[in-house]
Amino acid sequence: MPINTLVQNVRATPQHYSYPSIFIYGHRASGKSHVLHILMKELELPHAAVSCVECVSAALLYERVLTSFFGRSAASFLPRSPSLSEFVRLYRHQRSQSPAEQTRYIVMEKAELLRDADANLLPALLRLQELVDDNITVILLSEIVWEKFRPNTGCFEPLLLHFPDYSKGELQQILSTDSHPSYSAELYSSYINILLGVFYSVCRDLRELRHLAALNFNKFCEPLTEGKVKETETHKLWRNIEPHLKKAMQTVYIREVSSLQWEQMQQTEDEGGALRGLSAHTHVELPYYSKFLLIAAYLASYNPARTDKRFFVKHHGKIRKTNFLKKNEKTSNHLLGPKPFALDRLLAIFYSVVDSRVAPTASIFSQISSLVTLQLLTQISHTDQLDAPKYKCSISLDFISAVSRTVNFDIVKYLYDFL
Amino acid sequence: MSKRKVKDVHLPTGECITQLQQVLRERFCHQRLPEKPEGVEAQHKNLLELLRRTAVHGESNSLLIVGPRGAGKTTLLRCALRDLLQDKDVNKNLLQVHLNGLLQTDDRIALKEITRQLHLENVVGDKVFGSFAENLAFLLEALKKGDRSSSRPALFVLDEFDLFAHHKNQTLLYNLLDVSQSAQAPVAVVGLTCRLDVMELLEKRVKSRFSHRQILLLSSLSFPQYQQRIQAQLSLTDAFPDAHFAEEWNSSIKTLCEDKSAQDVFRRQFHFSTDFRSLHTLLVFCLSRVTVSKPVIKAADVLEASRLCLCDAKANMLHGNSFNFELHKDSIYWPFSFPVVLQLEI
């Protein structure tokens, strides 16, 4: 356990030297800052807590450090825009007046922002103990691994400690601690159990899970407050909450609506209502020919070129089931993802799909560009190549089925995978 | 008689452990200078001789100490300085200026720092100088001894020398090396750098003024020598107050170094890097497991420490990601793209 190593290093001998720099990395909400702050507070170690998000300029950092260790008067000696040289000189001067009796710590959060500061700041901080000749240790906390921090010509390598993410059992334990006052702890922990069962595979972030738990708890307790179900009948509660959790899955991490709006939506909806996704795509309205262009693009992406003749030419011959069928038997085109197609092919399919005669005017071509802007199509070729651009269709089957339904076009009939 | 008394001193175990931690931590974390330089005797002699020529005989010199990170450049220089300053005359006369490429990022800042370290702020006062060379000449003039016949010898130590080569026009380097070539004052310029190609970075005029003297610190240890050095690093010297405890500790270290699994760990470390800085990381982990209830380092500690040091950071972070890719059994032909898998998962 990395915490043990940290504690042993820090607690045992405060007046002895500690390793000049320690780098702690781990996922978001894995307890890095929390553990460190508790440690500093409980053991009453002299430390300077610095958040690199706040200290946008190095001067703020120097001021913070000097104030924490030597008081506000020391920081006032810093000149207008201090360089690292001046900071070190000032620190040495202060240190000669009040040397460290025990190890001083500088705890820097969001340390990845140090990479964007001056190139000399990070290497200097890593060997600060040597530069100022004092018993000081710099602790860097970050979500990014150390390999991405290392400068080109190398630097003083810190001690690397990893804070592992919480396991499912640990998450259950932690989440169950903030239980609602009016309900029993067992009810809440069974609720957390259900929640984790649904969300653990997509989200392990503690903060996000706490947000979800708080958001959906009222819905969970609805049958209890209405008196329909007793506390012990967890099966009925599970059946009630399950569809709502599945719907909430689409909003994990994405705050498309605020929490208040979400709760209101929960209340106004009736029990057996259709699960409408919050995704913006279902509300896109396209002009008539754009829809056909989109359909043609989807067909071009997901049908192999060989089969075009069969689908779109009026009198086709028999399609020969050659070896290529055996190779692609296992994987359908839908699982392989969209394939790129040339503009000519798109237009050929478009003309055969559209029922009326369409003149190849500029407005048709500009609609293709608009589809690219809407991110429904993706342009593969370089923007410089004007004569043979290639595109790829980036929408899902559900979306295209919805679109083709609005123009009374049966897309499934034209897809090779559904033959 | 008194020596015998010292030998019989027995401290309680807690006190012993504290003393032990202090000694070893100073060695590993604070890079305490060794009594004698190990493995670099020739380089040490060379450097000492050069510095003595400047300090005592008034000869100007320039030198570069080149070696990869953690090779012991700073340690070598500090040892040489310590031995040099044992001479009282030298101690009185020699002026030292320590500059670091990380701190003094600009020639202007460097000049201010030189002024400060030579304690000449009052002398310079508010004077405005036309050029860098004038300023430096003024400073060196001010260092002349009382009878104005000769200047005091000055030693300029430039840490991270390659960073000074990135300054505009390399003014500082040019002027310092110029002074060391001309007969103005006895000046020794010692640069320390980790870049082996540092000479390519220097401008032509700077390179021509440099004496091209280089001390290379490229370690050529064999594995048995490496092991011996590890044992020496972990052992306690005679200066330890409780001799009995020191003996026990040293014998436990000897047993540890003969243990097979610990040897494997050290061999792996040796193949990875022969410098002692990365070894110190490993040893600090081992040391942090030494407590009053367990006052020895066991092979298991070494294995655990090695595991901590050599763990793959990216694999650790990947473990915390929430996508479990259940690979198909014939996954070598698995051409699925990431968005497709995303849809499959949810």
Side-chain angles (χ1 to χ4, degrees):
Chain A
M1 272 302 283
I3 302 180
N4 284 344
T5 322
L6 197 63
V7 170
Q8 278 155 5
N9 258 311
V10 156
R11 180 187 55 179
T13 47
Q15 55 270 38
H16 301 161
Y17 285 99
S18 177
Y19 208 75
S21 46
I22 301 177
F23 182 78
I24 298 178
Y25 65 101
H27 276 285
R28 197 180 141 210
S30 52
K32 308 180 290 287
S33 337
H34 183 70
V35 166
L36 228 55
H37 281 131
I38 300 265
L39 209 59
M40 295 286 149
K41 207 172 70 167
E42 292 294 313
L43 300 174
E44 290 174 6
L45 300 167
H47 70 284
V50 174
S51 168
C52 297
V53 177
E54 285 176 17
C55 298
V56 280
S57 78
L60 293 166
L61 166 67
Y62 305 149
E63 198 190 305
R64 182 71 69 90
V65 170
L66 287 172
T67 316
S68 307
F69 293 144
F70 304 113
R72 201 158 276 286
S73 54
S76 60
F77 286 124
L78 275 174
R80 263 322 266 300
S81 37
S83 64
L84 190 55
S85 174
E86 272 149 11
F87 167 65
V88 167
R89 185 186 60 82
L90 205 56
Y91 191 104
R92 287 190 142 204
H93 178 70
Q94 292 291 335
R95 190 257 307 159
S96 57
Q97 290 172 353
S98 54
E101 294 132 17
Q102 32 173 326
T103 317
R104 291 179 169 139
Y105 293 93
I106 301 181
V107 179
M108 305 189 72
E109 292 181 35
K110 292 265 183 290
E112 58 263 20
L113 296 170
L114 281 177
R115 301 180 294 172
D116 303 326
D118 283 336
N120 65 335
L121 188 60
L122 182 63
L125 281 173
L126 290 170
R127 38 166 89 229
L128 197 62
Q129 192 183 86
E130 186 187 320
L131 291 174
V132 301
D133 201 13
D134 192 20
N135 190 359
I136 187 170
T137 295
V138 176
I139 302 184
L140 301 170
L141 303 171
S142 176
E143 289 178 37
I144 299 181
V145 297
W146 175 248
E147 278 82 16
K148 303 215 182 277
F149 276 75
R150 203 178 276 134
N152 281 339
T153 48
C155 60
F156 190 95
E157 297 282 321
L159 273 182
L160 301 176
L161 288 174
H162 173 61
F163 267 55
D165 47 298
Y166 295 116
S167 68
K168 196 166 175 184
E170 285 166 354
L171 280 173
Q172 165 103 20
Q173 242 183 328
I174 298 171
L175 287 169
S176 310
T177 52
D178 33 44
S179 56
H180 210 262
S182 39
Y183 297 102
S184 69
E186 293 93 39
L187 177 73
Y188 198 78
S189 44
S190 62
Y191 165 62
I192 293 293
N193 214 355
I194 295 170
L195 190 83
L196 276 179
V198 174
F199 285 109
Y200 184 69
S201 59
V202 291
C203 167
R204 293 186 192 181
D205 185 359
L206 184 60
R207 278 186 214 147
E208 191 65 32
L209 286 172
R210 281 182 83 178
H211 175 79
L212 286 169
L215 217 52
N216 293 308
F217 189 58
N218 284 334
K219 193 72 193 174
F220 181 75
C221 296
E222 224 179 43
L224 283 173
T225 50
E226 288 168 7
K228 288 189 212 164
V229 178
K230 286 201 284 290
E231 274 200 15
T232 46
E233 291 169 350
T234 43
H235 190 63
K236 288 197 187 151
L237 288 168
W238 152 244
R239 271 194 304 167
N240 177 53
I241 194 70
E242 189 201 355
H244 291 100
L245 287 183
K246 284 251 166 359
K247 194 163 70 144
M249 178 99 83
Q250 292 184 349
T251 64
V252 169
Y253 288 118
I254 306 168
R255 311 266 191 266
E256 278 182 323
V257 294
S258 75
S259 315
L260 194 61
Q261 280 176 305
W262 172 259
E263 283 177 11
Q264 281 172 355
M265 273 174 61
Q266 299 265 43
Q267 283 165 3
T268 53
E269 214 178 65
D270 43 80
E271 286 282 337
L275 291 171
R276 260 183 353 159
L278 282 174
S279 176
H281 276 184
T282 50
H283 303 296
V284 163
E285 268 303 319
L286 290 171
Y288 186 67
Y289 286 146
S290 287
K291 289 187 190 165
F292 278 104
L293 276 170
L294 199 58
I295 291 169
Y298 190 83
L299 291 172
S301 265
Y302 284 98
N303 281 349
R306 270 174 278 233
T307 55
D308 280 352
K309 195 170 146 204
R310 183 197 185 278
F311 285 120
F312 304 115
V313 173
K314 287 225 185 316
H315 303 287
H316 59 266
K318 279 189 306 216
I319 185 165
R320 272 180 279 126
K321 289 191 181 178
T322 48
N323 326 338
F324 79 89
L325 207 67
K326 283 189 200 141
K327 219 179 356 181
N328 295 343
E329 218 174 289
K330 284 183 212 164
T331 54
S332 81
N333 285 327
H334 279 82
L335 288 177
L336 290 172
K339 297 212 183 57
F341 53 86
L343 182 64
D344 297 338
R345 191 169 159 224
L346 170 68
L347 289 174
I349 297 178
F350 173 66
Y351 289 134
S352 73
V353 157
V354 163
D355 30 11
S356 53
R357 283 182 67 84
V358 184
T361 56
S363 57
I364 299 289
F365 288 103
S366 67
Q367 285 181 20
I368 299 178
S369 305
S370 320
L371 286 176
V372 173
T373 325
L374 283 173
Q375 292 182 341
L376 298 171
L377 294 188
T378 327
Q379 184 161 6
I380 306 280
S381 64
H382 208 263
T383 40
D384 290 351
Q385 277 177 311
L386 288 176
D387 51 346
K390 286 194 183 227
Y391 298 96
K392 191 163 82 162
C393 188
S394 45
I395 52 180
S396 62
L397 183 59
D398 305 322
F399 185 66
I400 198 70
S401 315
V403 166
S404 49
R405 223 175 296 133
T406 61
V407 290
N408 287 328
F409 183 82
D410 185 10
I411 189 154
V412 176
K413 213 168 54 169
Y414 286 84
L415 281 171
Y416 178 69
D417 291 328
F418 297 107
L419 259 186
Chain B
M1 271 310 261
S2 56
K3 257 199 179 166
R4 232 161 154 226
K5 270 195 179 166
V6 168
K7 263 200 165 162
D8 287 343
V9 164
H10 277 296
L11 298 167
T13 326
E15 185 61 33
C16 283
I17 295 287
T18 317
Q19 289 280 343
L20 169 78
Q21 290 264 355
Q22 180 173 6
V23 170
L24 289 183
R25 268 171 192 275
E26 238 182 299
R27 224 182 263 171
F28 301 151
C29 302
H30 196 57
Q31 273 92 32
R32 196 179 151 184
L33 294 183
E35 291 296 324
K36 288 191 307 291
E38 291 161 4
V40 289
E41 285 88 0
Q43 287 100 330
H44 177 86
K45 205 167 112 182
N46 197 357
L47 181 60
L48 190 55
E49 189 53 41
L50 202 87
L51 292 177
R52 192 161 277 144
R53 289 220 294 264
T54 305
V56 177
H57 305 297
E59 199 184 287
S60 285
N61 277 314
S62 52
L63 167 76
L64 264 182
I65 305 179
V66 179
R69 294 246 175 227
K73 308 181 283 289
T74 318
T75 317
L76 176 70
L77 182 66
R78 286 215 196 122
C79 275
L81 272 179
R82 181 190 59 189
D83 292 338
L84 183 70
L85 292 173
Q86 279 172 357
D87 187 352
K88 279 210 191 60
D89 276 333
V90 172
N91 208 345
K92 216 171 41 158
N93 272 338
L94 183 70
L95 291 162
Q96 292 180 43
V97 175
H98 292 266
L99 298 175
N100 193 315
L102 288 174
L103 299 178
Q104 279 84 45
T105 46
D106 200 353
D107 286 333
R108 206 175 30 88
I109 303 176
L111 199 55
K112 255 199 260 178
E113 190 62 28
I114 294 175
T115 318
R116 217 171 263 134
Q117 290 196 19
L118 292 174
H119 306 294
L120 289 175
E121 294 105 313
N122 295 332
V123 178
V124 168
D126 286 327
K127 275 205 179 61
V128 173
F129 294 99
S131 72
F132 193 98
E134 267 182 44
N135 201 341
L136 196 60
F138 180 81
L139 290 175
L140 291 173
E141 182 68 28
L143 297 176
K144 279 208 155 71
K145 281 200 247 189
D147 58 357
R148 298 241 146 215
S149 59
S150 52
S151 293
R152 291 170 67 179
L155 169 67
F156 287 89
V157 175
L158 300 170
D159 236 325
E160 314 281 343
F161 187 80
D162 45 297
L163 294 179
F164 284 106
H166 291 306
H167 292 180
K168 186 162 174 281
N169 286 342
Q170 299 183 356
T171 342
L172 175 71
L173 290 182
Y174 174 71
N175 282 299
L176 277 181
L177 291 173
D178 198 32
V179 169
S180 78
Q181 288 289 25
S182 62
Q184 285 178 30
V187 151
V189 179
V190 179
L192 292 92
T193 177
C194 66
R195 286 185 67 159
L196 301 175
D197 62 343
V198 63
M199 296 303 288
E200 321 282 322
L201 297 172
L202 297 177
E203 273 183 23
K204 207 169 70 139
R205 56 180 188 155
V206 178
K207 209 194 284 196
S208 65
R209 283 167 174 77
F210 178 57
S211 70
H212 285 75
R213 239 185 241 110
Q214 287 189 26
I215 291 183
L216 288 172
L217 287 175
L218 299 169
S219 142
S220 56
L221 289 174
S222 65
F223 184 59
Q225 284 173 331
Y226 186 73
Q227 269 194 299
Q228 271 180 354
R229 296 272 285 279
I230 295 178
Q231 203 175 330
Q233 290 265 318
L234 280 171
S235 306
L236 293 170
T237 58
D238 293 332
F240 196 73
D242 187 346
H244 178 68
F245 180 81
E247 256 181 62
E248 273 182 11
W249 173 263
N250 287 347
S251 62
S252 79
I253 293 296
K254 195 149 174 288
T255 332
L256 178 73
C257 289
E258 282 158 8
D259 181 278
K260 206 72 182 48
S261 47
Q263 273 194 4
D264 282 337
V265 168
F266 293 142
R267 194 184 301 268
R268 203 166 348 137
Q269 184 67 37
F270 176 70
H271 288 308
F272 175 58
S273 148
T274 50
D275 68 275
F276 278 84
R277 204 177 270 169
S278 41
L279 179 68
H280 286 167
T281 324
L282 189 73
L283 295 178
V284 161
F285 277 129
C286 295
L287 190 62
S288 58
R289 286 165 187 277
V290 171
T291 58
V292 177
S293 51
K294 188 180 78 76
V296 286
I297 298 182
K298 295 212 170 73
D301 294 334
V302 177
L303 281 170
E304 179 64 28
S306 144
R307 196 188 60 82
L308 275 175
C309 284
L310 299 176
C311 66
D312 185 356
K314 289 187 186 163
N316 282 339
M317 293 299 276
L318 204 60
H319 182 265
N321 281 332
S322 50
F323 291 115
N324 26 356
F325 293 97
E326 286 149 11
L327 295 179
H328 220 264
K329 62 176 165 61
D330 41 6
S331 57
I332 1 173
Y333 305 113
W334 205 50
F336 300 159
S337 60
F338 189 70
V340 172
V341 178
L342 201 68
Q343 282 186 330
L344 287 179
E345 283 285 322
I346 299 180

PDB file of all heavy atoms in Angstrom, chain A residues 48-63:
ATOM      1  N   ALA A  48       3.514  23.675   2.988  1.00  0.00           N
ATOM      2  CA  ALA A  48       2.908  24.728   2.166  1.00  0.00           C
ATOM      3  C   ALA A  48       2.045  24.025   1.134  1.00  0.00           C
ATOM      4  O   ALA A  48       2.553  23.274   0.318  1.00  0.00           O
ATOM      5  CB  ALA A  48       3.991  25.544   1.476  1.00  0.00           C
ATOM      6  N   ALA A  49       0.740  24.242   1.197  1.00  0.00           N
ATOM      7  CA  ALA A  49      -0.160  23.594   0.236  1.00  0.00           C
ATOM      8  C   ALA A  49      -0.343  24.521  -0.949  1.00  0.00           C
ATOM      9  O   ALA A  49      -0.828  25.627  -0.811  1.00  0.00           O
ATOM     10  CB  ALA A  49      -1.499  23.309   0.901  1.00  0.00           C
ATOM     11  N   VAL A  50       0.066  24.070  -2.104  1.00  0.00           N
ATOM     12  CA  VAL A  50       0.032  24.908  -3.303  1.00  0.00           C
ATOM     13  C   VAL A  50      -0.807  24.199  -4.354  1.00  0.00           C
ATOM     14  O   VAL A  50      -0.600  23.026  -4.615  1.00  0.00           O
ATOM     15  CB  VAL A  50       1.462  25.113  -3.848  1.00  0.00           C
ATOM     16  CG1 VAL A  50       1.422  25.840  -5.163  1.00  0.00           C
ATOM     17  CG2 VAL A  50       2.312  25.845  -2.852  1.00  0.00           C
ATOM     18  N   SER A  51      -1.749  24.906  -4.944  1.00  0.00           N
ATOM     19  CA  SER A  51      -2.475  24.325  -6.065  1.00  0.00           C
ATOM     20  C   SER A  51      -1.965  24.993  -7.333  1.00  0.00           C
ATOM     21  O   SER A  51      -2.011  26.208  -7.457  1.00  0.00           O
ATOM     22  CB  SER A  51      -3.963  24.581  -5.895  1.00  0.00           C
ATOM     23  OG  SER A  51      -4.620  24.271  -7.093  1.00  0.00           O
ATOM     24  N   CYS A  52      -1.471  24.217  -8.269  1.00  0.00           N
ATOM     25  CA  CYS A  52      -0.877  24.810  -9.477  1.00  0.00           C
ATOM     26  C   CYS A  52      -1.920  25.490 -10.349  1.00  0.00           C
ATOM     27  O   CYS A  52      -1.578  26.251 -11.251  1.00  0.00           O
ATOM     28  CB  CYS A  52      -0.149  23.745 -10.274  1.00  0.00           C
ATOM     29  SG  CYS A  52       1.215  23.063  -9.357  1.00  0.00           S
ATOM     30  N   VAL A  53      -3.182  25.207 -10.089  1.00  0.00           N
ATOM     31  CA  VAL A  53      -4.221  25.893 -10.841  1.00  0.00           C
ATOM     32  C   VAL A  53      -4.290  27.349 -10.387  1.00  0.00           C
ATOM     33  O   VAL A  53      -4.452  28.264 -11.180  1.00  0.00           O
ATOM     34  CB  VAL A  53      -5.576  25.199 -10.611  1.00  0.00           C
ATOM     35  CG1 VAL A  53      -6.667  25.937 -11.316  1.00  0.00           C
ATOM     36  CG2 VAL A  53      -5.514  23.774 -11.085  1.00  0.00           C
ATOM     37  N   GLU A  54      -4.133  27.555  -9.057  1.00  0.00           N
ATOM     38  CA  GLU A  54      -4.177  28.918  -8.545  1.00  0.00           C
ATOM     39  C   GLU A  54      -2.906  29.688  -8.887  1.00  0.00           C
ATOM     40  O   GLU A  54      -2.957  30.856  -9.209  1.00  0.00           O
ATOM     41  CB  GLU A  54      -4.284  28.880  -7.014  1.00  0.00           C
ATOM     42  CG  GLU A  54      -5.645  28.506  -6.510  1.00  0.00           C
ATOM     43  CD  GLU A  54      -5.635  28.395  -4.996  1.00  0.00           C
ATOM     44  OE1 GLU A  54      -4.701  28.914  -4.381  1.00  0.00           O
ATOM     45  OE2 GLU A  54      -6.564  27.794  -4.468  1.00  0.00           O
ATOM     46  N   CYS A  55      -1.780  29.013  -8.774  1.00  0.00           N
ATOM     47  CA  CYS A  55      -0.509  29.721  -8.965  1.00  0.00           C
ATOM     48  C   CYS A  55      -0.151  29.744 -10.443  1.00  0.00           C
ATOM     49  O   CYS A  55       0.710  28.988 -10.894  1.00  0.00           O
ATOM     50  CB  CYS A  55       0.587  29.059  -8.155  1.00  0.00           C
ATOM     51  SG  CYS A  55       0.237  29.131  -6.416  1.00  0.00           S
ATOM     52  N   VAL A  56      -0.813  30.607 -11.169  1.00  0.00           N
ATOM     53  CA  VAL A  56      -0.594  30.676 -12.613  1.00  0.00           C
ATOM     54  C   VAL A  56       0.785  31.203 -12.938  1.00  0.00           C
ATOM     55  O   VAL A  56       1.386  30.831 -13.924  1.00  0.00           O
ATOM     56  CB  VAL A  56      -1.641  31.560 -13.321  1.00  0.00           C
ATOM     57  CG1 VAL A  56      -2.901  30.792 -13.502  1.00  0.00           C
ATOM     58  CG2 VAL A  56      -1.888  32.830 -12.575  1.00  0.00           C
ATOM     59  N   SER A  57       1.282  32.099 -12.097  1.00  0.00           N
ATOM     60  CA  SER A  57       2.643  32.579 -12.329  1.00  0.00           C
ATOM     61  C   SER A  57       3.519  32.080 -11.200  1.00  0.00           C
ATOM     62  O   SER A  57       3.067  31.816 -10.098  1.00  0.00           O
ATOM     63  CB  SER A  57       2.663  34.103 -12.374  1.00  0.00           C
ATOM     64  OG  SER A  57       2.608  34.609 -11.076  1.00  0.00           O
ATOM     65  N   ALA A  58       4.788  31.975 -11.495  1.00  0.00           N
ATOM     66  CA  ALA A  58       5.722  31.438 -10.504  1.00  0.00           C
ATOM     67  C   ALA A  58       5.793  32.335  -9.277  1.00  0.00           C
ATOM     68  O   ALA A  58       6.045  31.861  -8.168  1.00  0.00           O
ATOM     69  CB  ALA A  58       7.092  31.267 -11.135  1.00  0.00           C
ATOM     70  N   ALA A  59       5.561  33.650  -9.472  1.00  0.00           N
ATOM     71  CA  ALA A  59       5.653  34.583  -8.343  1.00  0.00           C
ATOM     72  C   ALA A  59       4.665  34.213  -7.243  1.00  0.00           C
ATOM     73  O   ALA A  59       4.973  34.300  -6.053  1.00  0.00           O
ATOM     74  CB  ALA A  59       5.387  36.001  -8.828  1.00  0.00           C
ATOM     75  N   LEU A  60       3.467  33.771  -7.653  1.00  0.00           N
ATOM     76  CA  LEU A  60       2.466  33.385  -6.658  1.00  0.00           C
ATOM     77  C   LEU A  60       2.940  32.170  -5.877  1.00  0.00           C
ATOM     78  O   LEU A  60       2.722  32.062  -4.672  1.00  0.00           O
ATOM     79  CB  LEU A  60       1.144  33.080  -7.359  1.00  0.00           C
ATOM     80  CG  LEU A  60       0.468  34.285  -8.012  1.00  0.00           C
ATOM     81  CD1 LEU A  60      -0.633  33.826  -8.942  1.00  0.00           C
ATOM     82  CD2 LEU A  60      -0.087  35.206  -6.957  1.00  0.00           C
ATOM     83  N   LEU A  61       3.572  31.270  -6.592  1.00  0.00           N
ATOM     84  CA  LEU A  61       4.102  30.068  -5.942  1.00  0.00           C
ATOM     85  C   LEU A  61       5.150  30.428  -4.904  1.00  0.00           C
ATOM     86  O   LEU A  61       5.092  29.964  -3.757  1.00  0.00           O
ATOM     87  CB  LEU A  61       4.706  29.147  -7.014  1.00  0.00           C
ATOM     88  CG  LEU A  61       5.593  28.010  -6.541  1.00  0.00           C
ATOM     89  CD1 LEU A  61       4.788  26.998  -5.786  1.00  0.00           C
ATOM     90  CD2 LEU A  61       6.270  27.340  -7.720  1.00  0.00           C
ATOM     91  N   TYR A  62       6.086  31.320  -5.292  1.00  0.00           N
ATOM     92  CA  TYR A  62       7.163  31.695  -4.362  1.00  0.00           C
ATOM     93  C   TYR A  62       6.583  32.375  -3.130  1.00  0.00           C
ATOM     94  O   TYR A  62       6.990  32.109  -1.992  1.00  0.00           O
ATOM     95  CB  TYR A  62       8.147  32.660  -5.033  1.00  0.00           C
ATOM     96  CG  TYR A  62       8.752  32.167  -6.319  1.00  0.00           C
ATOM     97  CD1 TYR A  62       9.107  33.057  -7.319  1.00  0.00           C
ATOM     98  CD2 TYR A  62       8.981  30.820  -6.554  1.00  0.00           C
ATOM     99  CE1 TYR A  62       9.666  32.634  -8.502  1.00  0.00           C
ATOM    100  CE2 TYR A  62       9.525  30.386  -7.737  1.00  0.00           C
ATOM    101  CZ  TYR A  62       9.866  31.296  -8.702  1.00  0.00           C
ATOM    102  OH  TYR A  62      10.405  30.876  -9.887  1.00  0.00           O
ATOM    103  N   GLU A  63       5.606  33.245  -3.393  1.00  0.00           N
ATOM    104  CA  GLU A  63       5.010  33.978  -2.278  1.00  0.00           C
ATOM    105  C   GLU A  63       4.350  33.014  -1.308  1.00  0.00           C
ATOM    106  O   GLU A  63       4.506  33.122  -0.093  1.00  0.00           O
ATOM    107  CB  GLU A  63       3.979  34.940  -2.850  1.00  0.00           C
ATOM    108  CG  GLU A  63       3.582  36.045  -1.932  1.00  0.00           C
ATOM    109  CD  GLU A  63       2.392  36.779  -2.507  1.00  0.00           C
ATOM    110  OE1 GLU A  63       2.494  37.237  -3.644  1.00  0.00           O
ATOM    111  OE2 GLU A  63       1.381  36.860  -1.794  1.00  0.00           O
TER     112      GLU A  63
END
